[in-house]
Structure formats: structure tokens, C-alpha cells
């Protein structure tokens, strides 16, 4: 009999929770129409969409009118950057050296189309070097885009400092909060910014749904054209069941979930410190995402270990999920000053609110055996 | 008697205006009143239709001198 599956790749995606599945079923049971239609079935859908919009807005402490629903984090990041700068030329964009591909490649596209792209360095733990970043600001700088909690190593950036820096130089700030949303408290009243991306499937919501916070009075050029939904910024029929699912995912994410993930992460990090040939990447403590563990292996192939764990029904990822399948070393770890080997041989273990202590102990036992 | 709560839906597109009105009304008790300010024309017609479809009672409706209209709705 095969052992039960232990899923530890929650930074890639999470399973849809029973609360979310129930909310989506309830949506379908109500036979809702198109949320843009004016008849009763349409209004029924619109009510559920607006309830979810308020849930998203409340979680960020912003106004519902400032929330634009998208198909996910990648689209949110694209809309934020292309919507702001796509029709302009000659601005400088500053991003961190450890951005997700959806920000990096959008920034590169902008660079190829008349903008200037510069990258702010990070230190060995993945924290932004704010002094260097400030020196990169030029008179034509318009946008700073930063990943709040890094998807590979879990480093959480100092949001207050970032927000203050952007206010000081009157720059637009875009935060990619896809990994941190619901896991790190976000209060945009306290730390104002212009744009913020979130994703549903990182928090036990469905795939194919995300949102972009767009500060009031900030107009973005659309990157999708059609019926003019979402104040003209994001056309397309509302993915109402996804939106409902996103709202349910946010409502069912509790502080106790963050506490339990933090405890398991700390347990995992403590155990890894004792395993020869294992190096923990990124910071320790509360400046690390509660569900992230990243390690580099000095004496073993990360690909091989990942496959061996897979045979034991333990699922982790090598580097970031978006880079999986490629043989390149992690550019995030390289930017943090890791060696080529450390960047090549990295594993990411990402916990969810459903992960148990037994799951982590089984992983540790197997890793000790494989690396022993 | 307390003054009715006010929900300003001017500039909110259809059917989002109706959705927001219904959400607010769903959180109110039977007999309570809500004043809704809505743009004249199509938005007013759509909102009125959506409220009546859900059995809310429109007590009164009056122009406020601009391009909007205030309607007083009672929770059944």
C-alpha cells in the first residue's frame, strides 16, 4: 500500500479548501447569470461579485472601488506595469533583483519598448538594499515594483520603508503580494501604495482568479479590450465563480493558520540546521514568510532528491515552480550572492494551513536518510 | 425616529449599483429605511426594477435638483 501524499509545494499552488468549494457550489446552485447582465439572474451574480470585492478590499483596508478582478497574479502584475507605462516612453523602472518572472519579463518588455530598467540589489538574505535603491532613483523614474515576500526564499521586504521612499520621491509603488497575501498583514492605510497584486490559488482559492488594487484616481490603460468591465481597466466576462471562491478563501484564512504554519516552518528550519550538507536560504524569524523553507544541498543533486521524495509521495519543488523544468540555477539565489552550486541545487518546501507536524517529520526523516 | 441611512450610488455602473443596494439592504432589519441616491435614467430604472424584484418597498422618490434622484426604500 502506498503512503499518503504529503503536499509541500503550496507556494506553487494550494488545494481548494472545502469552504471555497462550498462557496463555489452555492454560487452554481443559485443559477446565477452574467454579473454584467441587468436581469435578476445577473444581479444575483453581481451581488456575489460585489460581496467578494468588499472582502478583498477589507483585507487590504481599501475601498471596494479600488479592486480590479483579474485572472491571477501574472495578469495583475502585467496590468499594473503595462497599464501604467505601456503607453509612455522614456521612464525608468526600478525592480528588485529577485522579482517573479511575471514582473521581470514585463519590465524587460517595457525596456525593449522605450523605457529604462534598473534592478535594485539585495543582500545575502534577500533584503532590499535601500541605500542602493535610492541611488538608482533618477528624475525620470516613475515606478518601483517589488515582490513583498519572495516566492523562492520567503524574504519579506520592509514595506514601510518602501512606501516612505516612494512617497519621498513621488514614485508609483507596485507591490507583488501574491505570496504574502493573507499570510502577512497588509494595511494600505498605514503603508500607502499605488498598485498591489494578489492571487487566489495561493490561499486555497481557485486558479484563474486574482485581483489588482489600483489606488483611487490612478487610471491604467487596459491590456485587454472588450466590454469595459472593471471601470474599463479589465474587460471580459466576470469569472464570478472564481471571484466568489477568492472571497471565501480570504474569509476562511485565519490568524491561527499563520501561527500553525509559522510553528511548522520553524520546526523544519531547526531540524535542517542539523543535517550535514544542508544550507538554509533566506532569513529566519518573522521576516520570513510563514510557510516557506528554502534549502541548498552541498553534496546531493536537488533534482535527484526531489524525485526520490516524489517516489515517497512527498512533493516539494526545485527552486521556484515557474523555473521548474529548466536546468538554469536560481537567479534569485544568484542575486543573493549564492554560489552556482547553491543556486543550482536548491529545494523549496512550502507549507499550508493543512500541513501537519507528522508531514514535516516524515519529510525530515526521509531527507536525513537520503542525505545521510 | 432616526434619519434613514444613505447609500450614494452615483457614478456606480449597472448592475453593480443594484448589487450594492441589495447587499446593504440585506444587512438591515425589517421596517428599516434606506435612502439611495442614484443617477437618473437607466441606472434609476434598473435599480428600481432590481429592488422591486426582491420585494423591497419604494416609499418615495424625489429629484434632488441634479442629475440624480433619491429613493427611500423600506425593508419588508
Amino acid at each position: 500500500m502506498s503512503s499518503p501524499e504529503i503536499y509541500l509545494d503550496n507556494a506553487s499552488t494550494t488545494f481548494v479548501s472545502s469552504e471555497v468549494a462550498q462557496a463555489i457550489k452555492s454560487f452554481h446552485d443559485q443559477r446565477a447569470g452574467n454579473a454584467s447582465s441587468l436581469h435578476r439572474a445577473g444581479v444575483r451574480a453581481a451581488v456575489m461579485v460585489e460581496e467578494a470585492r468588499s472582502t478583498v478590499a477589507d483585507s487590504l483596508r481599501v475601498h471596494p472601488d479600488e479592486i480590479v478582478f483579474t485572472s491571477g497574479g501574472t495578469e495583475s502584475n502585467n496590468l499594473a506595469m503595462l497599464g501604467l507605462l505601456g503607453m509612455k516612453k522614456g521612464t525608468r523602472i526600478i525592480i528588485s533583483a529577485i522579482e517573479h518572472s511575471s514582473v521581470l519579463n514585463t519590465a524587460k518588455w517595457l525596456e525593449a519598448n522605450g523605457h529604462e530598467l534598473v534592478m535594485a540589489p539585495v543582500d545575502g538574505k534577500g533584503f532590499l538594499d535601500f541605500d542602493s535603491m535610492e541611488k538608482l532613483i533618477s528624475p525620470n523614474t516613475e515606478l518601483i515594483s517589488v515582490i513583498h515576500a519572495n516566492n523562492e526564499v520567503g524574504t519579506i521586504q520592509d514595506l514601510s520603508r518602501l512606501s516612505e521612499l516612494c512617497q519621498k520621491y513621488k514614485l508609483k509603488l507596485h507591490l507583488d503580494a501574491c505570496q504574502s497575501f493573507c499570510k502577512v498583514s497588509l494595511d494600505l492605510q498605514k503603508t500607502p501604495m499605488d498598485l498591489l497584486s494578489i492571487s487566489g490559488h495561493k490561499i486555497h482559492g481557485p486558479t484563474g482568479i486574482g485581483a489588482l488594487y489600483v489606488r483611487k484616481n490612478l487610471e491604467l490603460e487596459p491590456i485587454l479590450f472588450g466590454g469595459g468591465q472593471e471601470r474599463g481597466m479589465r474587460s471580459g466576462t466576470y469569472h464570478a465563480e472564481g471571484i466568489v471562491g477568492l472571497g471565501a478563501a480570504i474569509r476562511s484564512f485565519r490568524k491561527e493558520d499563520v501561527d500553525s504554519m509559522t510553528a511548522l516552518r520553524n520546526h523544519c528550519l531547526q531540524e535542517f540546521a542539523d543535517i550535514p550538507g544542508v544550507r538554509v536560504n533566506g532569513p529566519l524569524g518573522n521576516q520570513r514568510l510563514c510557510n516557506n523553507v528554502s534549502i541548498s544541498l552541498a553534496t546531493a543533486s536537488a533534482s535527484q532528491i526531489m524525485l526520490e521524495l516524489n517516489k515517497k509521495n512527498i512533493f516539494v519543488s526545485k527552486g521556484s515552480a515557474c523555473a521548474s523544468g529548466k536546468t538554469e540555477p536560481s537567479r534569485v539565489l544568484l542575486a543573493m550572492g549564492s554560489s552556482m552550486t547553491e543556486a543550482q541545487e536548491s529545494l523549496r518546501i512550502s507549507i499550508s494551513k493543512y500541513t501537519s507536524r507528522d508531514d514535516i517529520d516524515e519529510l525530515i526523516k526521509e531527507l536525513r536518510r537520503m542525505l545521510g | 425616529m432616526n434619519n434613514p441611512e444613505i447609500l450614494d450610488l452615483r457614478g456606480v455602473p449597472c448592475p453593480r449599483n443594484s448589487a450594492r443596494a441589495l447587499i446593504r439592504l440585506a444587512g438591515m432589519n425589517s421596517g428599516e429605511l434606506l435612502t439611495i441616491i442614484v443617477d437618473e435614467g437607466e441606472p434609476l430604472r434598473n435599480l428600481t426594477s432590481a429592488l422591486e424584484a426582491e420585494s423591497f418597498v419604494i416609499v418615495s422618490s424625489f429629484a434632488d435638483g441634479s442629475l440624480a434622484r433619491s429613493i427611500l426604500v423600506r425593508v419588508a
Side-chain angles (χ1 to χ4, degrees):
Chain A
M1 196 179 87
S2 63
S3 53
E5 292 186 352
I6 298 173
Y7 184 79
L8 296 170
D9 194 16
N10 292 283
S12 300
T13 197
T14 55
F15 299 131
V16 167
S17 67
S18 57
E19 293 97 329
V20 170
Q22 184 54 47
I24 293 172
K25 181 178 181 303
S26 172
F27 169 82
H28 288 297
D29 287 347
Q30 292 183 55
R31 300 179 67 81
N34 184 324
S36 295
S37 295
L38 300 174
H39 48 63
R40 209 170 164 186
V43 173
R44 207 154 51 226
V47 165
M48 290 185 268
V49 165
E50 292 313 306
E51 283 173 336
R53 193 189 304 277
S54 291
T55 301
V56 177
D58 289 348
S59 71
L60 299 171
R61 291 205 63 212
V62 300
H63 192 276
D65 284 342
E66 295 175 305
I67 300 300
V68 173
F69 288 115
T70 67
S71 65
T74 291
E75 188 191 328
S76 292
N77 288 340
N78 272 258
L79 176 57
M81 299 174 75
L82 297 177
L84 189 68
L85 299 176
M87 298 296 285
K88 296 181 180 178
K89 297 281 182 201
T91 75
R92 173 177 281 200
I93 305 154
I94 301 175
I95 65 173
S96 82
I98 57 169
E99 289 305 303
H100 186 268
S101 308
S102 58
V103 164
L104 174 64
N105 289 330
T106 306
K108 282 183 175 176
W109 187 91
L110 286 165
E111 183 184 32
N113 287 274
H115 295 271
E116 187 186 356
L117 170 62
V118 291
M119 291 193 207
V122 296
D123 67 15
K125 298 294 183 193
F127 292 112
L128 270 171
D129 177 344
F130 279 97
D131 291 337
S132 296
M133 180 178 250
E134 188 162 5
K135 285 177 188 151
L136 291 173
I137 296 170
S138 59
N140 65 332
T141 302
E142 191 150 326
L143 172 67
I144 291 183
S145 181
V146 167
I147 189 164
H148 186 206
N150 181 266
N151 54 309
E152 280 188 51
V153 296
T155 309
I156 300 171
Q157 303 299 341
D158 183 341
L159 206 48
S160 299
R161 208 162 162 199
L162 202 50
S163 179
E164 283 164 14
L165 183 69
C166 288
Q167 287 177 70
K168 179 179 172 186
Y169 289 96
K170 295 185 168 41
L171 306 176
K172 303 286 190 303
L173 172 59
H174 167 235
L175 193 74
D176 174 1
C178 289
Q179 291 291 346
S180 60
F181 183 57
C182 287
K183 302 182 192 98
V184 181
S185 174
L186 285 163
D187 183 343
L188 273 56
Q189 300 296 316
K190 287 184 183 162
T191 49
M193 63 189 74
D194 300 281
L195 299 151
L196 181 146
S197 301
I198 66 164
S199 169
H201 73 107
K202 308 293 190 190
I203 54 167
H204 303 283
T207 51
I209 188 65
L212 179 67
Y213 157 77
V214 183
R215 181 182 49 75
K216 190 181 176 188
N217 297 327
L218 179 63
E219 291 296 322
L220 299 181
E221 293 292 333
I223 59 173
L224 290 174
F225 297 90
Q229 288 88 344
E230 299 297 83
R231 293 181 287 138
M233 284 188 265
R234 205 285 184 179
S235 287
T237 301
Y238 283 101
H239 177 24
E241 65 185 87
I243 292 169
V244 166
L246 174 62
I250 295 168
R251 285 193 298 275
S252 57
F253 221 100
R254 303 162 306 157
K255 186 185 175 299
E256 301 89 88
D257 298 327
V258 175
D259 293 342
S260 99
M261 287 190 282
T262 303
L264 290 176
R265 179 205 66 189
N266 290 344
H267 171 53
C268 202
L269 290 171
Q270 267 176 353
E271 292 289 327
F272 284 162
D274 286 344
I275 303 179
V278 171
R279 189 192 85 151
V280 172
N281 301 313
L284 302 175
N286 60 7
Q287 288 174 301
R288 182 186 200 107
L289 200 57
C290 62
N291 71 331
N292 172 285
V293 175
S294 167
I295 55 173
S296 287
L297 308 176
T299 57
S301 156
S303 297
Q304 196 62 37
I305 294 293
M306 188 191 74
L307 293 174
E308 288 297 318
L309 288 170
N310 185 49
K311 285 182 194 167
K312 295 286 180 184
N313 271 345
I314 301 173
F315 308 138
V316 301
S317 71
K318 182 180 179 298
S320 73
C322 291
S324 289
K326 298 178 187 171
T327 53
E328 290 91 13
S330 159
R331 60 178 170 75
V332 169
L333 290 176
L334 289 177
M336 290 164 57
S338 298
S339 69
M340 190 61 83
T341 304
E342 288 164 340
Q344 188 85 47
E345 307 303 346
S346 68
L347 287 176
R348 181 182 64 185
I349 295 111
S350 43
I351 297 161
S352 85
K353 61 181 180 177
Y354 299 109
T355 305
S356 69
R357 172 87 176 208
D358 286 348
D359 294 338
I360 296 298
D361 286 341
E362 187 64 20
L363 167 76
I364 291 163
K365 187 187 86 182
E366 288 299 334
L367 269 180
R368 281 190 189 280
R369 187 182 63 76
M370 290 172 192
L371 298 171
Chain B
M1 191 179 115
N2 293 334
N3 287 330
E5 287 184 48
I6 296 174
L7 177 63
D8 189 348
L9 294 172
R10 285 174 291 185
V12 179
C14 303
R16 195 187 285 184
N17 48 10
S18 300
R20 289 198 179 167
L22 291 171
I23 290 168
R24 174 69 77 89
L25 287 162
M28 295 172 63
N29 297 318
S30 177
E32 285 187 316
L33 295 166
L34 176 68
T35 296
I36 303 173
I37 309 171
V38 62
D39 295 315
E40 289 273 15
E42 191 93 356
L44 173 65
R45 283 194 293 277
N46 288 334
L47 176 65
T48 305
S49 166
L51 294 173
E52 287 173 346
E54 300 301 328
S55 302
F56 289 104
V57 181
I58 295 171
V59 179
S60 63
S61 169
F62 49 93
D64 71 353
S66 65
L67 295 174
R69 180 169 283 264
S70 294
I71 58 175
L72 187 63
V73 184
R74 188 174 63 230
V75 181

